[in-house]
Amino acid sequence: MYKLLIVDDEPQILEGMKRSLDWEKYGFGRIETSETYEGAISKAVEFLPDLAIFDVCIGKYRGYDAINKLNELRLPSKYIIMSGYGDFKYALEAIRCGAKDYLLKPVDRTQLQQVVEKIIVEDLNGTLQGVERDDLDTDPVLGMRYDGLSKLTNRILLIVKAEYAQNLTLKSVAERFRMNGTYLGQLFLKETQMKFSEYLMAYRMLRARERIQSTDEKIVSIALSVGYPNLNYFYSHFHAFFDKSPSDMRRKE
């Protein structure tokens, strides 16, 4: 049985994460929580979790600092960072400390499930009934395995995953890498066969579809949550991508 540690300084978030998945179904027989940095370090050293989920902000401390500390202690745990901020610096720190993924709050259940399943199969050498390993290691838009993509492209995909709800552009991404936007766009297109803007739109559409199918949120709220302040623009892209309206998809699904 696996062991899970969830760290967040908000008790309601801890309870929500404990209920977000059927953890027992995935083989987690023990779940511990902590609201403090010190408590997280202590509990992690005490029971050696197979998976630990850290909020990026734990009071005045940072979740990635706690992960770096545990890495120094050579704990065998795998880590996920969650955050209410889409700031690139947090996503970058998540990469640096070796976190397996960076999830934005409110954490999307489907995304969390996919990440947990991937960690179980890829890192914990577990098995999942009816889950194919290739599916877990394949980008949902590109249909390509992550390990077949360059480090630069994987970093760009991580930025999109972390900040798709914001006003994200190729130019803003290129500035972070101190690269020319046109050149970066050409590299991305050559490797993925998609323009950056096309990938971003497709990723937003997939996230929107997940919310439409799994929640009762109003369409206008879903549009905002995936980076579309203009509802008409969202409807236009959604219909072009899925050949049906958001309302039709909700009724038929």
Tab-separated table of all heavy atoms in Angstrom, residues 2-3 26 28 48-52 71 75-80 97-101 112-128 131-134 136-137 145-147:
chain	number	residue	atom	x	y	z
A	2	TYR	N	0.444	2.250	-0.730
A	2	TYR	CA	1.193	3.493	-0.814
A	2	TYR	C	0.829	4.445	0.336
A	2	TYR	O	-0.229	4.326	0.949
A	2	TYR	CB	0.910	4.203	-2.147
A	2	TYR	CG	1.223	3.380	-3.359
A	2	TYR	CD1	0.255	3.157	-4.332
A	2	TYR	CD2	2.495	2.833	-3.549
A	2	TYR	CE1	0.540	2.404	-5.456
A	2	TYR	CE2	2.786	2.080	-4.666
A	2	TYR	CZ	1.797	1.868	-5.626
A	2	TYR	OH	2.080	1.123	-6.732
A	3	LYS	N	1.724	5.408	0.575
A	3	LYS	CA	1.496	6.421	1.610
A	3	LYS	C	1.498	7.801	0.964
A	3	LYS	O	2.329	8.083	0.100
A	3	LYS	CB	2.585	6.323	2.686
A	3	LYS	CG	2.535	5.026	3.485
A	3	LYS	CD	3.767	4.850	4.345
A	3	LYS	CE	4.984	4.508	3.505
A	3	LYS	NZ	6.171	4.216	4.355
A	26	TYR	N	-6.486	3.637	-5.601
A	26	TYR	CA	-5.168	3.714	-6.217
A	26	TYR	C	-4.079	3.083	-5.353
A	26	TYR	O	-2.897	3.148	-5.687
A	26	TYR	CB	-4.816	5.171	-6.512
A	26	TYR	CG	-5.568	5.727	-7.695
A	26	TYR	CD1	-6.654	6.571	-7.518
A	26	TYR	CD2	-5.203	5.382	-9.000
A	26	TYR	CE1	-7.356	7.071	-8.606
A	26	TYR	CE2	-5.897	5.877	-10.088
A	26	TYR	CZ	-6.970	6.726	-9.886
A	26	TYR	OH	-7.663	7.214	-10.970
A	28	PHE	N	-3.507	3.765	-1.969
A	28	PHE	CA	-2.988	4.573	-0.858
A	28	PHE	C	-3.714	4.176	0.427
A	28	PHE	O	-4.876	4.500	0.632
A	28	PHE	CB	-3.168	6.062	-1.148
A	28	PHE	CG	-2.247	6.584	-2.215
A	28	PHE	CD1	-2.623	6.555	-3.550
A	28	PHE	CD2	-0.988	7.073	-1.881
A	28	PHE	CE1	-1.763	7.017	-4.544
A	28	PHE	CE2	-0.122	7.529	-2.861
A	28	PHE	CZ	-0.513	7.502	-4.201
A	48	LEU	N	7.785	8.445	5.562
A	48	LEU	CA	8.313	8.259	4.214
A	48	LEU	C	7.204	8.068	3.173
A	48	LEU	O	7.002	6.967	2.651
A	48	LEU	CB	9.261	7.054	4.179
A	48	LEU	CG	10.472	7.111	5.115
A	48	LEU	CD1	11.274	5.833	5.025
A	48	LEU	CD2	11.339	8.320	4.792
A	49	PRO	N	6.489	9.116	2.825
A	49	PRO	CA	5.393	8.979	1.862
A	49	PRO	C	5.905	8.612	0.467
A	49	PRO	O	7.004	9.024	0.066
A	49	PRO	CB	4.766	10.375	1.863
A	49	PRO	CG	5.894	11.292	2.228
A	49	PRO	CD	6.688	10.520	3.241
A	50	ASP	N	5.122	7.822	-0.230
A	50	ASP	CA	5.466	7.521	-1.616
A	50	ASP	C	5.187	8.734	-2.493
A	50	ASP	O	5.909	8.989	-3.462
A	50	ASP	CB	4.644	6.327	-2.103
A	50	ASP	CG	4.942	5.071	-1.320
A	50	ASP	OD1	5.990	4.452	-1.574
A	50	ASP	OD2	4.136	4.718	-0.434
A	51	LEU	N	4.133	9.471	-2.143
A	51	LEU	CA	3.754	10.670	-2.875
A	51	LEU	C	3.435	11.782	-1.883
A	51	LEU	O	2.761	11.549	-0.885
A	51	LEU	CB	2.519	10.402	-3.742
A	51	LEU	CG	1.885	11.608	-4.452
A	51	LEU	CD1	2.860	12.222	-5.452
A	51	LEU	CD2	0.600	11.185	-5.166
A	52	ALA	N	3.935	12.987	-2.150
A	52	ALA	CA	3.634	14.145	-1.310
A	52	ALA	C	3.176	15.292	-2.209
A	52	ALA	O	3.814	15.588	-3.221
A	52	ALA	CB	4.863	14.569	-0.499
A	71	ASN	N	14.726	16.373	-0.450
A	71	ASN	CA	15.661	15.810	-1.427
A	71	ASN	C	17.055	15.690	-0.823
A	71	ASN	O	17.771	14.712	-1.068
A	71	ASN	CB	15.711	16.687	-2.680
A	71	ASN	CG	14.485	16.526	-3.564
A	71	ASN	OD1	13.818	15.496	-3.526
A	71	ASN	ND2	14.188	17.537	-4.360
A	75	LEU	N	14.951	11.380	0.690
A	75	LEU	CA	13.692	10.654	0.775
A	75	LEU	C	13.315	10.155	-0.617
A	75	LEU	O	13.536	10.851	-1.617
A	75	LEU	CB	12.573	11.546	1.327
A	75	LEU	CG	12.322	11.433	2.836
A	75	LEU	CD1	13.526	11.943	3.603
A	75	LEU	CD2	11.066	12.176	3.235
A	76	PRO	N	12.729	8.985	-0.709
A	76	PRO	CA	12.380	8.409	-2.021
A	76	PRO	C	11.046	8.911	-2.571
A	76	PRO	O	10.549	8.396	-3.571
A	76	PRO	CB	12.309	6.911	-1.709
A	76	PRO	CG	11.810	6.863	-0.291
A	76	PRO	CD	12.482	8.037	0.405
A	77	SER	N	10.459	9.904	-1.932
A	77	SER	CA	9.117	10.375	-2.299
A	77	SER	C	9.097	11.044	-3.676
A	77	SER	O	10.092	11.592	-4.139
A	77	SER	CB	8.611	11.371	-1.252
A	77	SER	OG	8.723	10.856	0.049
A	78	LYS	N	7.908	11.003	-4.277
A	78	LYS	CA	7.635	11.757	-5.498
A	78	LYS	C	6.738	12.931	-5.117
A	78	LYS	O	5.917	12.807	-4.206
A	78	LYS	CB	6.944	10.872	-6.546
A	78	LYS	CG	7.733	9.613	-6.890
A	78	LYS	CD	9.147	9.936	-7.362
A	78	LYS	CE	9.956	8.659	-7.592
A	78	LYS	NZ	11.363	8.964	-7.957
A	79	TYR	N	6.885	14.043	-5.843
A	79	TYR	CA	6.213	15.264	-5.407
A	79	TYR	C	5.359	15.905	-6.503
A	79	TYR	O	5.693	15.853	-7.690
A	79	TYR	CB	7.249	16.291	-4.938
A	79	TYR	CG	8.133	15.778	-3.826
A	79	TYR	CD1	9.431	15.348	-4.088
A	79	TYR	CD2	7.667	15.695	-2.517
A	79	TYR	CE1	10.245	14.853	-3.076
A	79	TYR	CE2	8.471	15.212	-1.503
A	79	TYR	CZ	9.755	14.794	-1.788
A	79	TYR	OH	10.557	14.307	-0.783
A	80	ILE	N	4.271	16.520	-6.056
A	80	ILE	CA	3.426	17.359	-6.894
A	80	ILE	C	3.305	18.700	-6.185
A	80	ILE	O	3.152	18.743	-4.962
A	80	ILE	CB	2.014	16.759	-7.080
A	80	ILE	CG1	2.081	15.420	-7.822
A	80	ILE	CG2	1.109	17.733	-7.841
A	80	ILE	CD1	0.747	14.689	-7.855
A	97	CYS	N	13.109	21.613	-8.428
A	97	CYS	CA	13.125	20.728	-7.255
A	97	CYS	C	12.721	19.297	-7.612
A	97	CYS	O	12.692	18.424	-6.750
A	97	CYS	CB	12.237	21.276	-6.143
A	97	CYS	SG	10.463	21.145	-6.433
A	98	GLY	N	12.391	19.070	-8.881
A	98	GLY	CA	12.090	17.710	-9.320
A	98	GLY	C	10.653	17.287	-9.158
A	98	GLY	O	10.338	16.093	-9.243
A	99	ALA	N	9.749	18.240	-8.936
A	99	ALA	CA	8.327	17.895	-8.825
A	99	ALA	C	7.851	17.262	-10.126
A	99	ALA	O	8.269	17.656	-11.215
A	99	ALA	CB	7.503	19.139	-8.511
A	100	LYS	N	6.975	16.292	-10.005
A	100	LYS	CA	6.481	15.593	-11.183
A	100	LYS	C	5.481	16.425	-11.964
A	100	LYS	O	5.305	16.220	-13.162
A	100	LYS	CB	5.834	14.265	-10.774
A	100	LYS	CG	6.713	13.354	-9.942
A	100	LYS	CD	8.012	13.011	-10.645
A	100	LYS	CE	7.813	12.171	-11.879
A	100	LYS	NZ	9.100	11.710	-12.458
A	101	ASP	N	4.814	17.363	-11.293
A	101	ASP	CA	3.872	18.225	-12.004
A	101	ASP	C	3.541	19.434	-11.154
A	101	ASP	O	3.836	19.480	-9.959
A	101	ASP	CB	2.584	17.476	-12.359
A	101	ASP	CG	2.044	17.879	-13.728
A	101	ASP	OD1	1.998	19.092	-14.000
A	101	ASP	OD2	1.675	16.990	-14.512
A	112	LEU	N	-5.449	15.938	-11.836
A	112	LEU	CA	-4.832	15.290	-10.683
A	112	LEU	C	-4.815	13.777	-10.873
A	112	LEU	O	-3.807	13.117	-10.611
A	112	LEU	CB	-5.597	15.658	-9.408
A	112	LEU	CG	-5.122	14.967	-8.128
A	112	LEU	CD1	-3.691	15.365	-7.787
A	112	LEU	CD2	-6.060	15.305	-6.957
A	113	GLN	N	-5.913	13.242	-11.332
A	113	GLN	CA	-6.012	11.799	-11.549
A	113	GLN	C	-4.968	11.332	-12.555
A	113	GLN	O	-4.282	10.323	-12.327
A	113	GLN	CB	-7.410	11.461	-12.056
A	113	GLN	CG	-7.640	9.976	-12.336
A	113	GLN	CD	-9.059	9.713	-12.808
A	113	GLN	OE1	-9.948	10.534	-12.653
A	113	GLN	NE2	-9.271	8.557	-13.392
A	114	GLN	N	-4.813	12.065	-13.641
A	114	GLN	CA	-3.840	11.686	-14.658
A	114	GLN	C	-2.418	11.727	-14.116
A	114	GLN	O	-1.605	10.833	-14.396
A	114	GLN	CB	-3.978	12.605	-15.869
A	114	GLN	CG	-5.268	12.404	-16.649
A	114	GLN	CD	-5.455	13.431	-17.757
A	114	GLN	OE1	-4.778	14.460	-17.785
A	114	GLN	NE2	-6.352	13.150	-18.678
A	115	VAL	N	-2.113	12.757	-13.332
A	115	VAL	CA	-0.764	12.881	-12.772
A	115	VAL	C	-0.485	11.757	-11.782
A	115	VAL	O	0.587	11.139	-11.805
A	115	VAL	CB	-0.589	14.255	-12.087
A	115	VAL	CG1	0.755	14.322	-11.356
A	115	VAL	CG2	-0.691	15.380	-13.105
A	116	VAL	N	-1.449	11.473	-10.906
A	116	VAL	CA	-1.276	10.414	-9.910
A	116	VAL	C	-1.112	9.060	-10.598
A	116	VAL	O	-0.240	8.258	-10.229
A	116	VAL	CB	-2.471	10.390	-8.931
A	116	VAL	CG1	-2.430	9.136	-8.061
A	116	VAL	CG2	-2.466	11.633	-8.053
A	117	GLU	N	-1.916	8.803	-11.601
A	117	GLU	CA	-1.819	7.536	-12.326
A	117	GLU	C	-0.454	7.404	-12.998
A	117	GLU	O	0.158	6.324	-12.987
A	117	GLU	CB	-2.936	7.438	-13.357
A	117	GLU	CG	-4.313	7.236	-12.741
A	117	GLU	CD	-5.419	7.216	-13.778
A	117	GLU	OE1	-5.155	7.573	-14.950
A	117	GLU	OE2	-6.561	6.861	-13.429
A	118	LYS	N	0.018	8.494	-13.560
A	118	LYS	CA	1.318	8.471	-14.225
A	118	LYS	C	2.440	8.184	-13.230
A	118	LYS	O	3.347	7.395	-13.507
A	118	LYS	CB	1.576	9.815	-14.922
A	118	LYS	CG	2.860	9.874	-15.733
A	118	LYS	CD	2.942	11.197	-16.463
A	118	LYS	CE	4.145	11.219	-17.410
A	118	LYS	NZ	5.430	11.127	-16.716
A	119	ILE	N	2.366	8.794	-12.053
A	119	ILE	CA	3.388	8.572	-11.026
A	119	ILE	C	3.359	7.125	-10.550
A	119	ILE	O	4.402	6.489	-10.364
A	119	ILE	CB	3.181	9.537	-9.848
A	119	ILE	CG1	3.532	10.972	-10.280
A	119	ILE	CG2	4.038	9.125	-8.644
A	119	ILE	CD1	3.201	12.025	-9.249
A	120	ILE	N	2.164	6.581	-10.358
A	120	ILE	CA	2.039	5.193	-9.910
A	120	ILE	C	2.684	4.238	-10.905
A	120	ILE	O	3.436	3.320	-10.533
A	120	ILE	CB	0.560	4.830	-9.691
A	120	ILE	CG1	0.007	5.555	-8.465
A	120	ILE	CG2	0.397	3.312	-9.522
A	120	ILE	CD1	-1.488	5.382	-8.269
A	121	VAL	N	2.409	4.463	-12.175
A	121	VAL	CA	2.928	3.570	-13.204
A	121	VAL	C	4.402	3.818	-13.493
A	121	VAL	O	5.209	2.881	-13.538
A	121	VAL	CB	2.106	3.716	-14.505
A	121	VAL	CG1	2.731	2.892	-15.632
A	121	VAL	CG2	0.669	3.284	-14.267
A	122	GLU	N	4.756	5.098	-13.676
A	122	GLU	CA	6.109	5.436	-14.105
A	122	GLU	C	7.130	5.382	-12.972
A	122	GLU	O	8.270	4.950	-13.182
A	122	GLU	CB	6.127	6.855	-14.701
A	122	GLU	CG	5.286	7.022	-15.951
A	122	GLU	CD	5.989	6.502	-17.188
A	122	GLU	OE1	7.197	6.227	-17.097
A	122	GLU	OE2	5.320	6.374	-18.229
A	123	ASP	N	6.743	5.824	-11.792
A	123	ASP	CA	7.721	6.003	-10.716
A	123	ASP	C	7.604	4.988	-9.585
A	123	ASP	O	8.602	4.684	-8.924
A	123	ASP	CB	7.594	7.414	-10.134
A	123	ASP	CG	7.859	8.484	-11.186
A	123	ASP	OD1	9.014	8.622	-11.596
A	123	ASP	OD2	6.908	9.162	-11.592
A	124	LEU	N	6.393	4.519	-9.331
A	124	LEU	CA	6.199	3.575	-8.227
A	124	LEU	C	6.089	2.136	-8.708
A	124	LEU	O	5.864	1.226	-7.908
A	124	LEU	CB	4.948	3.968	-7.424
A	124	LEU	CG	4.952	5.385	-6.838
A	124	LEU	CD1	3.668	5.645	-6.056
A	124	LEU	CD2	6.175	5.618	-5.961
A	125	ASN	N	6.213	1.958	-10.029
A	125	ASN	CA	6.176	0.623	-10.632
A	125	ASN	C	4.893	-0.134	-10.313
A	125	ASN	O	4.901	-1.354	-10.171
A	125	ASN	CB	7.399	-0.193	-10.189
A	125	ASN	CG	8.706	0.436	-10.613
A	125	ASN	OD1	8.851	0.877	-11.749
A	125	ASN	ND2	9.656	0.513	-9.690
A	126	GLY	N	3.816	0.630	-10.183
A	126	GLY	CA	2.524	0.008	-9.928
A	126	GLY	C	1.787	-0.277	-11.214
A	126	GLY	O	2.272	-0.012	-12.318
A	127	THR	N	0.594	-0.828	-11.091
A	127	THR	CA	-0.244	-1.115	-12.253
A	127	THR	C	-1.630	-0.530	-12.022
A	127	THR	O	-2.074	-0.376	-10.890
A	127	THR	CB	-0.371	-2.630	-12.490
A	127	THR	OG1	-0.937	-3.238	-11.318
A	127	THR	CG2	0.979	-3.255	-12.785
A	128	LEU	N	-2.295	-0.226	-13.119
A	128	LEU	CA	-3.641	0.332	-13.055
A	128	LEU	C	-4.549	-0.455	-13.993
A	128	LEU	O	-4.213	-0.676	-15.158
A	128	LEU	CB	-3.642	1.803	-13.472
A	128	LEU	CG	-2.812	2.750	-12.597
A	128	LEU	CD1	-2.648	4.089	-13.302
A	128	LEU	CD2	-3.480	2.936	-11.248
A	131	VAL	N	-5.543	1.036	-17.632
A	131	VAL	CA	-4.812	2.256	-17.960
A	131	VAL	C	-3.553	1.895	-18.728
A	131	VAL	O	-2.754	1.077	-18.282
A	131	VAL	CB	-4.420	3.034	-16.687
A	131	VAL	CG1	-3.579	4.250	-17.047
A	131	VAL	CG2	-5.665	3.453	-15.939
A	132	GLU	N	-3.409	2.486	-19.913
A	132	GLU	CA	-2.238	2.230	-20.743
A	132	GLU	C	-1.131	3.225	-20.413
A	132	GLU	O	-1.366	4.421	-20.349
A	132	GLU	CB	-2.602	2.350	-22.232
A	132	GLU	CG	-3.593	1.298	-22.702
A	132	GLU	CD	-3.009	-0.094	-22.664
A	132	GLU	OE1	-1.775	-0.226	-22.775
A	132	GLU	OE2	-3.784	-1.048	-22.517
A	133	ARG	N	0.060	2.724	-20.246
A	133	ARG	CA	1.187	3.594	-19.890
A	133	ARG	C	1.435	4.664	-20.944
A	133	ARG	O	1.694	5.817	-20.633
A	133	ARG	CB	2.452	2.745	-19.712
A	133	ARG	CG	3.678	3.576	-19.380
A	133	ARG	CD	4.826	2.698	-18.984
A	133	ARG	NE	6.026	3.495	-18.729
A	133	ARG	CZ	7.108	3.021	-18.139
A	133	ARG	NH1	7.146	1.788	-17.741
A	133	ARG	NH2	8.151	3.795	-17.944
A	134	ASP	N	1.337	4.300	-22.209
A	134	ASP	CA	1.589	5.281	-23.257
A	134	ASP	C	0.619	6.441	-23.182
A	134	ASP	O	0.968	7.576	-23.461
A	134	ASP	CB	1.497	4.618	-24.631
A	134	ASP	CG	2.740	3.797	-24.946
A	134	ASP	OD1	3.717	3.919	-24.202
A	134	ASP	OD2	2.721	3.049	-25.936
A	136	LEU	N	-0.642	7.718	-20.532
A	136	LEU	CA	-0.275	8.583	-19.420
A	136	LEU	C	0.947	9.431	-19.734
A	136	LEU	O	1.145	10.475	-19.127
A	136	LEU	CB	0.010	7.729	-18.172
A	136	LEU	CG	-1.152	6.918	-17.628
A	136	LEU	CD1	-0.689	6.047	-16.480
A	136	LEU	CD2	-2.281	7.819	-17.190
A	137	ASP	N	1.763	8.971	-20.668
A	137	ASP	CA	3.004	9.671	-20.967
A	137	ASP	C	2.928	10.414	-22.285
A	137	ASP	O	3.949	10.778	-22.860
A	137	ASP	CB	4.160	8.664	-21.015
A	137	ASP	CG	5.503	9.332	-20.792
A	137	ASP	OD1	5.546	10.337	-20.064
A	137	ASP	OD2	6.505	8.854	-21.360
A	145	ARG	N	4.742	11.400	-27.133
A	145	ARG	CA	5.283	11.117	-25.803
A	145	ARG	C	6.198	12.248	-25.364
A	145	ARG	O	6.968	12.796	-26.160
A	145	ARG	CB	6.062	9.794	-25.815
A	145	ARG	CG	5.182	8.563	-25.932
A	145	ARG	CD	6.039	7.301	-25.991
A	145	ARG	NE	6.854	7.153	-24.805
A	145	ARG	CZ	6.472	6.513	-23.702
A	145	ARG	NH1	5.268	5.992	-23.626
A	145	ARG	NH2	7.286	6.409	-22.668
A	146	TYR	N	6.106	12.585	-24.070
A	146	TYR	CA	6.920	13.678	-23.535
A	146	TYR	C	8.417	13.372	-23.639
A	146	TYR	O	9.221	14.273	-23.866
A	146	TYR	CB	6.545	13.968	-22.082
A	146	TYR	CG	5.146	14.509	-21.927
A	146	TYR	CD1	4.163	13.790	-21.253
A	146	TYR	CD2	4.786	15.747	-22.462
A	146	TYR	CE1	2.874	14.285	-21.120
A	146	TYR	CE2	3.504	16.249	-22.333
A	146	TYR	CZ	2.550	15.510	-21.653
A	146	TYR	OH	1.280	16.001	-21.528
A	147	ASP	N	8.772	12.099	-23.465
A	147	ASP	CA	10.199	11.776	-23.511
A	147	ASP	C	10.751	11.804	-24.937
A	147	ASP	O	11.949	11.649	-25.141
A	147	ASP	CB	10.484	10.421	-22.844
A	147	ASP	CG	9.708	9.266	-23.479
A	147	ASP	OD1	9.118	9.459	-24.559
A	147	ASP	OD2	9.683	8.174	-22.879
